[in-house]
Amino acid sequence: MAISSLLLNPYTPHLPPKPPTRLHKTTKTSTCRNSLPKTTTTNPLLKDPNHQLSRKNVLQKAYPTESSALEFDVSDEKFQELVDRRCADNLRMLILDSVQKAKAGHPGMALGMAEIGYFLYRHVLRYNPRNPKWFNRDRFVLSAGHGCLLQYVCLHLAGFQSVQVEDLKRLCKLGSRTPGHPENTVTDGIEVTTGPLGQGVANAVGLALAEAHLAARFNKPDVAVVDHRTYCIMGDGCAMEGISHEAASLAAHWKLNKLTLIYDDNSNTIDGPTDLAFTEDISLRFKALGWNTITVDDTHSNMRSFKNAVKTRIGKLSKKEGTSRAHHGVFDEDDEKQMKQKVKWDNREPFYVIPMVYREMQVQADHGEELERDWYSKLYYYQSKYPQEAVEFKSLLYDGMLPGWENSLPTWSTSDPLDATRGYSEKCLNQLAKVLPGLIGGSADLASSNKVYLHKYGDFQQPASPGGRNIRYGVREHAMAGISNGIALHGGGLIPFAATFLVKTGPTHQPIEHLVGLRAIPRLLLFRPADGNETSGAYKVAVANRDVPSVIALSRQKVAAHVEGTSADAVARGGYIVSDNSVPNLPEIILIGTGSELCLCEGSASVLRKEGRRVRVVSLVCWRLFDRQPVEYKEKVLPPGVSRRVSVEAGSPIGWREYVGPEGVVLGVEEFGASGAYLDTFKKFGFTEENVTRVAKRLLSQ
């Protein structure tokens, strides 16, 4: 059984500009590209005399000694450095207040990375908080998702309506917009949901790949409509997880030069210092992969050093600073008081924000709004000079679906030659590629076996062919899934697919629980098509339902192109009647099958019918879709009055009892598989027409 996994997500962004550059990436607590983009200080706010006076007063109170020697000129870099430091102080105090109010959370990383978070949102990232989904914004991923307070506070200060002071007060509360880990469906400004360590790194690689691919396809020498960067913060836990290594390896191979990975090297994890189990040199590891790495030992006293790149102190200011105890939990009263004293925050009300901080962040927000206007001007020019490309580009941005795309899916008849459903899948994918310009994906070194190669569309490789739509992942399944999700969430209308083996042969390759586990994932649609037409139907539903992921489990062995009675359109119901000789009466027995086992049910039914039995065969191709059907429909397919039922599926029997009822029989596998030819293996476990017939007769005799 092969598996083709479609990870689809709908997105209607607010359209894209500039071309890609070279490869830069980073490691070490804030390792970054060669250099960060130049900061923008031309905003009229910075020249406003009232704002200047306000800044001067704030700095004189906070840093009387250091500020006494300053000219307080907007062009004075030292002046701006002190302003930035005070803003970072305020950010850190909001983190402290939020944790103390919630009596929960993970403040350590957020406190340690306060300067980094502030610097990114004030001087680096291009975004427009008034239009969070502007297409050509920079993307930021917090792979170390437990440090979400850092991002929540930055989003609030940057002017995102999704995070107000009241939201900071409701950290980790049920239903709040500030959950314990960032969720992109809950809070505007969050690009991807993170939490499982390391997966955000793979998501970020997917976002960067999407940008590089679209830039190659649509940018022109005189105008770039796709031009943005991706930034990602990872922690020590992310660095330990294998997925981050897989993804980083691919990023370097693909030369994703607009991806910046910031490594929060604070030397602590939950159980203690990282050297309990982690002593490798991450910079050397990333250099070996092909990254450009930069290390900075201190960003707390010299924030501008981050432009070159970092080591941080977990739980900065706290008595727990630099220890694993700062990772999570609240601070005692004395510690809280001491932390505030260190930054001269005495007698401030909780959640206080210095007006200067809001105005500083507004500078970057205004800059982002200006960039968006410039981008729309470029898009207008692009439309006038390159109308054909503009039509396709805008089609992708507004969902990438051409009217009537589903008509491209092939249909099969009973006279067509036998093939594995992976073979039928190959035909479906290649037909869809012609009408879905956003379709892109690949396999974990199994494209020739999974049959997922898009012919005539080339490979994604830089610099040779970044416009290619086949992604070569190598043997990196975990990263492949994370990268696919990043591509789906990019917002450029790309529809990613990823493929690997779900089951092979033998106990080391034949887990029986995968179907059960996949069906248990909320919202995910798992299809197990029986023939070519059900495979077409599965793709039709999967592509049409891009707000949820879909998994299509396919066979390696050959099956009929069209099992008489199956229907591509009926797949949308999840389950339906394939054949029945009992009408207008009720059947005596119902045989329920999925995938390659449906033909066994049909064969057994034919034998039983010749003996005068009334038999119905049902295809239960997607449980979740069937469960969503009206009760009337479900009872029409599986009448409550028919208690004799047999389910046939080469996998774990868990879950089938709901469909066969208490008196039915579940024909499944409760041990690991065996190595051998598939017909011999099927016979060993009872998946033959003869055994299905025997089980059915036994049930009918009771």
Side-chain angles (χ1 to χ4, degrees):
M1 185 190 298
I3 179 172
S4 176
S5 174
L6 291 170
L7 302 111
L8 315 176
N9 195 65
Y11 216 172
T12 304
H14 298 258
L15 299 170
K18 302 175 190 175
T21 56
R22 297 154 303 172
L23 170 72
H24 307 89
K25 286 146 268 176
T26 59
T27 47
K28 270 308 183 198
T29 289
S30 176
T31 53
C32 25
R33 308 165 309 134
N34 285 348
S35 62
L36 295 173
K38 292 182 179 179
T39 58
T40 303
T41 56
T42 57
N43 191 289
L45 263 180
L46 297 179
K47 297 181 179 180
D48 180 356
N50 293 326
H51 181 45
Q52 287 295 86
L53 181 60
S54 171
R55 295 167 113 200
K56 179 178 179 180
N57 291 338
V58 168
L59 297 185
Q60 286 177 334
K61 290 179 181 178
Y63 315 116
T65 303
E66 294 169 88
S67 63
S68 62
L70 294 179
E71 295 295 327
F72 293 102
D73 187 325
V74 68
S75 61
D76 186 341
E77 190 170 295
K78 285 289 184 183
F79 176 41
Q80 184 63 48
E81 285 181 11
L82 283 186
V83 170
D84 289 342
R85 192 197 304 179
R86 195 53 176 163
C87 290
D89 287 342
N90 201 155
L91 191 153
R92 194 171 268 120
M93 291 299 99
L94 287 172
I95 292 168
L96 174 63
D97 290 338
S98 297
V99 169
Q100 297 300 86
K101 172 76 173 176
K103 301 191 185 307
H106 294 78
M109 178 269 196
L111 289 170
M113 292 287 282
E115 285 84 2
I116 307 304
Y118 168 78
F119 193 84
L120 284 172
Y121 278 87
R122 169 60 183 87
H123 295 291
V124 178
L125 293 172
R126 301 187 308 174
Y127 59 88
N128 181 5
R130 294 138 196 156
N131 183 10
K133 288 185 170 53
W134 166 45
F135 172 81
N136 211 43
R137 69 194 181 280
D138 289 338
R139 271 68 167 174
F140 172 72
V141 177
L142 186 65
S143 184
H146 58 278
C148 58
L149 247 182
L150 175 70
Q151 191 169 12
Y152 293 152
V153 173
C154 287
L155 289 174
H156 169 67
L157 296 177
F160 285 79
Q161 292 302 304
S162 55
V163 184
Q164 301 297 305
V165 169
E166 287 305 310
D167 296 301
L168 296 177
K169 293 179 179 179
R170 299 195 67 238
L171 175 70
C172 297
K173 296 293 188 290
L174 183 65
S176 77
R177 295 190 290 186
T178 49
H181 286 76
E183 299 182 30
N184 65 321
T185 59
V186 172
T187 315
D188 280 343
I190 303 295
E191 299 289 349
V192 301
T193 297
T194 57
L197 296 176
Q199 293 196 38
V201 176
N203 298 155
V205 172
L207 292 169
L209 183 151
E211 193 275 346
H213 174 75
L214 291 169
R217 284 174 63 176
F218 295 105
N219 287 350
K220 301 295 181 181
D222 60 331
V223 59
V225 289
V226 183
D227 178 24
H228 47 268
R229 298 182 179 276
T230 301
Y231 298 86
C232 176
I233 290 178
M234 78 170 189
D236 291 305
C238 298
M240 294 183 206
E241 291 284 1
I243 187 174
S244 65
H245 183 80
E246 292 180 18
S249 173
L250 283 167
H253 172 72
W254 289 329
K255 297 178 172 58
L256 297 177
N257 61 300
K258 294 166 86 171
L259 170 63
T260 300
L261 182 58
I262 302 163
Y263 172 34
D264 173 24
D265 183 13
N266 63 48
S267 303
N268 278 276
T269 55
I270 294 175
D271 282 350
T274 52
D275 62 13
L276 288 173
F278 190 60
T279 52
E280 65 200 63
D281 188 318
I282 296 299
S283 283
L284 287 179
R285 186 217 286 184
F286 274 70
K287 283 180 182 177
L289 292 175
W291 284 63
N292 172 46
T293 65
I294 303 167
T295 302
V296 172
D297 289 328
D298 177 27
T299 55
H300 303 303
S301 60
N302 181 13
M303 196 185 310
R304 293 274 158 163
S305 64
F306 175 59
K307 292 186 73 174
N308 305 313
V310 226
K311 286 198 176 181
T312 62
R313 299 281 291 173
I314 189 171
K316 181 68 177 174
L317 299 183
S318 167
K319 291 186 293 186
K320 304 175 185 178
E321 179 179 322
T323 72
S324 61
R325 293 181 296 117
H327 176 269
H328 61 277
V330 299
F331 303 94
D332 63 42
E333 190 175 327
D334 288 342
D335 200 1
E336 180 182 5
K337 183 178 179 180
Q338 169 195 285
M339 292 169 75
K340 292 185 174 181
Q341 287 174 342
K342 286 181 178 179
V343 293
K344 298 186 177 179
W345 212 257
D346 309 68
N347 304 317
R348 301 270 197 194
E349 288 294 315
F351 298 96
Y352 176 76
V353 178
I354 304 170
M356 175 192 76
V357 178
Y358 283 132
R359 288 195 290 271
E360 283 295 312
M361 298 299 277
Q362 187 182 334
V363 171
Q364 194 70 359
D366 290 345
H367 178 54
E369 193 169 30
E370 181 182 345
L371 288 172
E372 183 176 4
R373 285 194 298 269
D374 291 345
W375 178 77
Y376 275 108
S377 296
K378 290 182 179 182
L379 185 62
Y380 181 78
Y381 170 79
Y382 188 84
Q383 291 174 159
S384 63
K385 189 169 182 182
Y386 306 102
Q388 186 173 344
E389 291 91 336
V391 168
E392 183 174 310
F393 180 58
K394 292 180 73 174
S395 170
L396 284 174
L397 295 187
Y398 288 115
D399 89 355
M401 310 290 281
L402 298 177
W405 63 267
E406 64 276 10
N407 297 326
S408 70
L409 286 164
T411 58
W412 284 269
S413 68
T414 54
S415 61
D416 287 325
L418 301 181
D419 199 353
T421 50
R422 65 179 175 180
Y424 303 130
S425 167
E426 179 183 30
K427 293 179 175 64
C428 291
L429 276 172
N430 276 277
Q431 288 300 112
L432 287 172
K434 298 174 184 178
V435 295
L436 297 177
L439 193 65
I440 182 173
S443 182
D445 195 43
L446 292 167
S448 58
S449 184
N450 292 143
K451 309 290 186 185
V452 294
Y453 195 80
L454 302 181
H455 303 292
K456 300 181 181 178
Y457 289 97
D459 291 351
F460 172 83
Q461 295 287 355
Q462 292 202 100
S465 54
R469 290 165 63 183
N470 291 287
I471 303 175
R472 302 287 192 172
Y473 287 105
V475 189
R476 302 183 184 91
E477 280 96 344
H478 200 176
M480 174 176 68
I483 290 168
S484 297
N485 280 324
I487 294 170
L489 292 167
H490 174 262
L494 298 181
I495 304 174
F497 62 88
T500 186
F501 280 141
L502 182 65
V503 173
K504 204 174 178 184
T505 59
T508 60
H509 289 73
Q510 197 159 352
I512 62 168
E513 74 279 1
H514 278 359
L515 296 176
V516 175
L518 289 166
R519 284 169 176 149
I521 296 174
R523 304 180 73 206
L524 182 142
L525 300 178
L526 171 66
F527 300 90
R528 193 155 182 259
D531 62 6
N533 288 321
E534 283 200 344
T535 303
S536 278
Y539 274 104
K540 179 180 178 180
V541 176
V543 174
N545 289 271
R546 293 174 60 197
D547 58 335
V548 297
S550 296
V551 174
I552 305 176
L554 304 161
S555 73
R556 301 179 73 207
Q557 68 269 33
K558 292 183 177 181
V559 296
H562 174 47
V563 175
E564 193 165 355
T566 60
S567 163
D569 290 338
V571 170
R573 292 277 204 170
Y576 62 98
I577 300 169
V578 174
S579 64
D580 189 351
N581 69 329
S582 57
V583 179
N585 301 310
L586 287 176
E588 295 176 83
I589 191 169
I590 302 175
L591 305 181
I592 312 169
T594 72
S596 55
E597 291 80 79
L598 184 67
C599 63
L600 301 181
C601 295
E602 270 297 309
S604 175
S606 179
V607 172
L608 294 170
R609 287 165 186 161
K610 289 176 183 177
E611 297 177 3
R613 293 295 190 175
R614 301 191 308 277
V615 185
R616 174 177 294 181
V617 175
V618 168
S619 172
L620 206 60
V621 60
C622 179
W623 290 13
R624 180 154 281 128
L625 290 177
F626 183 71
D627 292 344
R628 292 175 182 170
Q629 301 306 310
V631 173
E632 296 76 18
Y633 177 79
K634 290 188 286 187
E635 291 187 350
K636 179 182 177 182
V637 175
L638 299 175
V642 182
S643 60
R644 294 185 179 92
R645 305 177 187 178
V646 179
S647 68
V648 187
E649 184 175 73
S652 170
I654 293 174
W656 273 107
R657 185 59 58 188
E658 180 178 347
Y659 303 101
V660 302
E663 298 178 36
V665 174
V666 178
L667 185 54
V669 184
E670 300 199 44
E671 293 293 337
F672 288 115
S675 181
Y678 94 86
L679 287 176
D680 295 337
T681 307
F682 262 40
K683 184 176 181 179
K684 171 182 171 64
F685 289 103
F687 294 105
T688 63
E689 183 181 307
E690 294 76 17
N691 189 52
V692 174
T693 303
R694 189 161 43 248
V695 170
K697 286 183 176 180
R698 189 185 312 129
L699 190 58
L700 284 166
S701 68
Q702 293 177 2

